[in-house]
Amino acid sequence: MRRFATIALLGVTATGLLAGLILHLAGAEAAGDIVWAAVTGVALVPATGWVISALRSGRLGVDAIAVLALAGALAVREYLAGALIGVMLATGRALEDYALRRARHDLNALYERAPHSARRYEDGVPRLVPVDQVCPGDLLSIPSGEIVPVDGLVAGDLALLDESALTGESIPVEHTAGEAVRSGVVNAGAAFDLRATRTAADSTYAGVVALARQTETDSAPVVRLADRFAAWFLPATLLLAAAAWSLSGEPVRAVAVLVVATPCPLLLAAPAAIASGLSRTARHGVVVKGGGALERLGQARTLILDKTGTLTAGRPQVVDVVAAPGARADDVLRLAAAVDQMSSHVLAAAIVDAARTHRAALPQPAEVREKPGTGTTGVVEGHRIEVGKAVASSCLEWERAQRARAALDGAMTVWVTVDGQATGVILLRDAIRADAARTLRRLRSAGIERMVMLTGDRAEVAESVGIVLGVDQVLAEQTPAAKVRAVRQEAARAVTVMVGDGINDAPALAAADVGVAMGARGSAASAQAADVVLTTDRLDRLADAMDVARRSRRIAVQSAATGMVLSLLAMAAAAAGALAPAAGALLQEAIDITVIVNALRALRPVRGTRAVVDPATEALLRRFETEHSTLRPPLELIRETADELGETPSATSLDRLREVHGFLTERLLPHERAEEQRLYPAMGQVLGSPEATVTMSRAHAEIERLVRRLGNHLALAEADGVRAEQLDDLRACLYGLHAVLVLHFDQEEEAYFSLTVGSSAE
């Protein structure tokens, strides 16, 4: 309604101004003045209404200056100035409406695309039903091109989904049978079936929409500053106008002062820039709950991060399988995964995933029982298998050694027993996010001066993560109450951002100046307590949001300050008699248009602290990242082979060495050489210098040297087998290869492959 009223006011005032001008040019000056006076009177009506509305809400804004300027123009018969003020007011309102509407475009798109219906199977046939009738357990059909209406699990073989609406990532993602799918994503492939796990109201997309609506309920401090500005600007304007009148004896000067003071550029620039920033963060998959949160985010100097699920993936992964004396690691993993197939525990899922990665054939278990806090038992191939906590065993020395190793590595242990005897232990660790280190470096570049990691985990595990990421302080073994105290202490020193994802993080998020929730997999409690929600499971989106926040605030202040200075200069000129009311109105209109256009720069993409990757290089990064995921698991074969090289070479030693050498020469070295020839030159251009890849190239050279050394050992052993005098150097070569490769893979994933995260966020 307001939009149509604004358009109508602009049409009437502009038409009247033009008609009066035509009449003056035709010699009918009296008629022209009447038309301009009418335009002034028409504009005076809504302007008076705006002032009355402000007074009812307890405010006296600078719209009062517009009313006085219009009335003054009529009083001193400056009808052209009055008509120009009318057009200026209407244009300013129209520009403000457009700016805010354009800035809210991405948030409005979230509301408008929310699904209203779903295709639920009834008697084996998909029928269209209102989305609010879908219940957990219902089987839905998702045709190609349609939006997934509720959260659920893929019930077919494969789903290809466009998740850009939630994540900003333009490349479709494959989800296999049983994998979770969030509402709001689009089916980019063939039709598939979905088993609903939540109602529409409780699903991801409904939560995102609800969070987005909150962004319009708060004003930023820089916006509220406009109200405080009016408290002194209005009386100052009136005093200057009165002084100009009394000193010159010319009331027209007072009117000229009022004209150039109408309206205040700060009122137009700040809301447009802040709303533009909210829109820009939405494009990065970040929902900021209001302008106040956006501005505080741009002022932040301290960052506090939870560890699990924030700096780490939140999904433990198997890092090693250690067999007891007389057992084989492959059998340990296969038997454990066979029993854990029936468990929903997060550690069980990691063990099953590891077995499938190793292409192990999992037998069907029987008599499976799961005891919370203890583990899972079952019968596999006639043997009683227990997976979970350790039980009494005769291998006490071996068990102590594994516990010591797990403590040193900061790993979790899952023990596997067969018929009551310890057969092996599976070590799991929650891996650090590939993008975590780069994101923290970006945040430091964006203005964060202090970083604290806050976690309830053990001190040795937390310290190992903190050292890798280079945080300033690690606070481990923290209860929820202790987390709140720590956040408040940091907030007392500087504007503090807290990032978390769990229910236990909610109080700390609420205590921070800006609480940031990892909303993709985090709890509803943390999302509700937070000021900022990352709708995708990517920490680097926080750095994108901070870039936007700082830029939006800078543009808002810059636009407002420039407009205020120009208005004050124009007011001084008007008071001195150097600026007539009509000319002042035209000048003020130009100032208003300038500050609004400048404020809308906050809508434009900004590089900020993020490296820009061109599409061709991004395709290379994705290719080699995919190759990494297939090459990583076999790296353990290198270490396992070194472990098995005892003091006396066995008959199988040569076979294992051949297997390792074949993997290295046929798969790994071609991958490394392709990186050297294609990826590294492209990354040199992205990072600004070919020197940026020198250390990675040096690692390639060391890997190739060690592979050649291993090949020489293998050539010597082909005639008479592996000799005892070769063992020490062979073990050193294999362990060295494993260490260099694991470190090199980690470095590439952090330095290069993490750049694909967010490179398509525009």
Side-chain angles (χ1 to χ4, degrees):
M1 188 67 181
R2 168 176 164 167
R3 180 184 177 188
F4 292 116
T6 300
I7 293 174
L9 178 62
L10 179 59
V12 169
T13 54
T15 301
L17 177 63
L18 182 60
L21 181 60
I22 293 172
L23 288 171
H24 268 266
L25 293 175
E29 296 181 0
D33 286 342
I34 292 173
V35 172
W36 284 340
V39 169
T40 305
V42 167
L44 185 59
V45 173
T48 304
W50 301 335
V51 173
I52 293 173
S53 176
L55 288 172
R56 285 175 177 172
S57 60
R59 296 182 295 107
L60 180 60
V62 292
D63 283 331
I65 299 175
V67 171
L68 294 174
L70 288 167
L74 288 174
V76 298
R77 299 177 181 273
E78 285 284 345
Y79 301 124
L80 174 58
L84 286 169
I85 295 171
V87 173
M88 180 179 66
L89 283 176
T91 304
R93 283 277 165 161
L95 283 171
E96 184 181 5
D97 284 351
Y98 168 77
L100 297 180
R101 191 169 62 253
R102 174 69 180 85
R104 286 196 295 261
H105 176 269
D106 294 288
L107 297 179
N108 291 334
L110 285 174
Y111 314 149
E112 294 168 0
R113 72 187 299 275
H116 300 290
S117 61
R119 300 177 187 274
R120 183 174 63 188
Y121 280 97
E122 297 178 359
D123 300 324
V125 178
R127 301 185 187 281
L128 206 62
V129 298
V131 71
D132 55 8
Q133 292 184 12
V134 175
C135 300
D138 286 349
L139 185 64
L140 309 177
S141 173
I142 312 296
S144 178
E146 288 202 3
I147 297 173
V148 175
V150 297
D151 292 356
L153 303 175
V154 177
D157 294 332
L158 182 72
L160 185 65
L161 302 174
D162 175 2
E163 301 184 345
S164 58
L166 295 181
T167 68
E169 180 56 70
S170 60
I171 296 178
V173 180
E174 288 186 352
H175 291 266
T176 56
E179 288 189 348
V181 172
R182 293 177 292 166
S183 60
V185 302
V186 178
N187 182 9
F192 71 97
D193 291 343
L194 180 84
R195 182 71 65 180
T197 56
R198 290 183 179 180
T199 63
D202 295 332
S203 289
T204 299
Y205 199 72
V208 171
V209 171
L211 291 169
R213 292 193 186 280
Q214 295 182 40
T215 66
E216 299 178 293
T217 63
D218 182 33
S219 294
V222 73
V223 177
R224 291 193 296 269
L225 177 64
D227 294 331
R228 297 196 296 272
F229 172 81
W232 67 264
F233 185 77
L234 176 58
T237 300
L238 295 177
L239 286 174
L240 182 59
W245 186 355
S246 61
L247 292 175
S248 66
E250 300 175 7
V252 70
R253 291 196 184 187
V255 173
V257 170
L258 295 173
V259 166
V260 295
T262 309
C264 172
L266 181 61
L267 291 176
L268 300 173
I274 296 301
S276 298
L278 294 174
S279 174
R280 196 72 221 164
T281 58
R283 293 194 183 189
H284 287 287
V286 181
V287 176
V288 182
K289 300 180 185 178
L294 185 73
E295 188 180 359
R296 291 193 301 274
L297 186 63
Q299 294 174 307
R301 291 292 178 269
T302 299
L303 178 66
I304 301 177
L305 303 111
D306 177 48
K307 180 181 76 68
T308 305
T310 301
L311 293 173
T312 63
R315 296 184 295 269
Q317 296 177 331
V318 173
V319 294
D320 200 7
V321 180
V322 184
R328 295 183 70 252
D330 291 345
D331 290 335
V332 171
L333 181 61
R334 184 176 64 87
L335 294 173
V339 174
D340 274 343
Q341 289 179 96
M342 317 307 287
S343 172
S344 59
H345 196 279
V346 64
L347 297 184
I351 291 170
V352 173
D353 287 345
R356 287 175 175 163
T357 300
H358 285 78
R359 294 182 172 82
L362 303 184
Q364 195 65 27
E367 302 178 26
V368 177
R369 292 183 179 84
E370 186 171 5
K371 185 176 181 181
T374 300
T376 307
T377 64
V379 176
V380 180
E381 298 175 343
H383 298 282
R384 170 68 58 180
I385 310 298
E386 298 179 39
V387 184
K389 290 188 174 180
V391 297
S393 171
S394 58
C395 302
L396 295 179
E397 184 176 347
W398 175 80
E399 286 188 17
R400 281 196 295 270
Q402 304 316 313
R403 292 182 192 280
R405 177 184 171 184
L408 289 171
D409 292 344
M412 296 168 279
T413 56
V414 174
W415 300 84
V416 183
T417 63
V418 178
D419 296 328
Q421 292 297 314
T423 303
V425 61
I426 300 174
L427 304 180
L428 302 100
R429 193 162 52 228
D430 192 4
I432 297 174
R433 290 176 180 269
D435 63 327
R438 176 177 289 279
T439 299
L440 296 191
R441 290 195 297 271
R442 285 183 57 193
L443 289 168
R444 286 195 188 275
S445 298
I448 293 295
E449 299 169 354
R450 175 172 166 79
M451 292 185 180
V452 179
M453 190 175 76
L454 200 60
T455 178
D457 212 341
R458 304 193 313 272
E460 59 270 20
V461 176
E463 289 286 353
S464 66
V465 174
I467 290 171
V468 170
L469 296 178
V471 299
D472 298 304
Q473 185 178 9
V474 175
L475 299 176
E477 301 177 14
Q478 299 287 299
T479 64
K483 287 184 177 182
V484 171
R485 286 195 297 272
V487 171
R488 285 176 175 166
Q489 288 174 0
E490 295 294 339
R493 291 192 285 265
V495 178
T496 299
V497 176
M498 165 71 187
V499 187
D501 75 326
I503 293 175
N504 63 337
D505 294 324
L509 293 175
D513 295 303
V514 183
V516 180
M518 302 288 288
R521 293 187 298 107
S523 72
S526 63
Q528 290 299 322
D531 304 290
V532 178
V533 179
L534 309 183
T535 63
T536 177
D537 191 29
R538 292 174 173 174
L539 182 62
D540 77 319
R541 295 298 197 241
L542 176 60
D544 292 331
M546 188 165 288
D547 287 340
V548 171
R550 292 187 185 281
R551 182 168 182 264
S552 299
R553 186 176 187 277
R554 184 171 65 251
I555 289 174
V557 172
Q558 175 194 87
S559 300
T562 301
M564 287 167 57
V565 169
L566 292 175
S567 292
L568 290 171
L569 291 174
M571 289 166 63
L579 199 61
L586 290 172
L587 178 60
Q588 185 59 51
E589 178 76 351
I591 293 173
D592 292 340
I593 293 173
T594 300
V595 296
I596 290 177
V597 170
N598 186 65
L600 286 177
R601 288 192 300 116
L603 277 172
R604 293 167 51 193
V606 55
R607 172 176 175 175
T609 57
R610 176 156 56 91
V612 176
V613 181
D614 60 274
T617 303
E618 183 173 357
L620 285 174
L621 287 170
R622 292 188 183 281
R623 169 198 157 182
F624 288 109
E625 182 180 26
T626 301
E627 291 182 12
H628 261 215
S629 65
T630 61
L631 291 171
R632 250 193 191 279
L635 294 183
E636 293 306 307
L637 176 67
I638 302 172
R639 187 184 53 76
E640 291 168 5
T641 301
D643 291 343
E644 292 176 6
L645 285 175
E647 295 301 323
T648 303
S650 66
T652 61
S653 297
L654 188 57
D655 291 336
R656 292 300 296 267
L657 286 172
R658 288 194 190 104
E659 185 180 358
V660 168
H661 190 258
F663 161 71
L664 292 170
T665 56
E666 295 168 16
R667 295 181 57 192
L668 188 129
L669 284 184
H671 165 83
E672 303 291 342
R673 289 165 184 160
E675 284 186 330
E676 192 71 40
Q677 294 167 4
R678 300 193 60 192
L679 179 62
Y680 286 10
M683 290 309 304
Q685 292 182 355
V686 169
L687 300 176
S689 169
E691 294 297 314
T693 62
V694 167
T695 55
M696 298 295 187
S697 295
R698 182 65 184 84
H700 280 175
E702 179 63 13
I703 291 166
E704 187 135 6
R705 185 189 72 81
L706 289 171
V707 172
R708 289 185 181 221
R709 190 177 187 86
L710 179 62
N712 292 335
H713 272 293
L714 190 59
L716 291 172
E718 288 294 352
D720 303 316
V722 180
R723 296 194 295 270
E725 59 267 24
Q726 289 182 265
L727 289 178
D728 286 344
D729 193 69
L730 262 175
R731 277 193 291 266
C733 182
L734 290 169
Y735 283 133
L737 259 174
H738 180 263
V740 171
L741 282 168
V742 169
L743 177 61
H744 182 61
F745 271 40
D746 287 344
Q747 288 175 324
E748 285 189 325
E749 288 167 9
E750 175 188 323
Y752 300 159
F753 301 153
S754 63
L755 291 175
T756 63
V757 180
S759 59
S760 302
E762 297 306 333

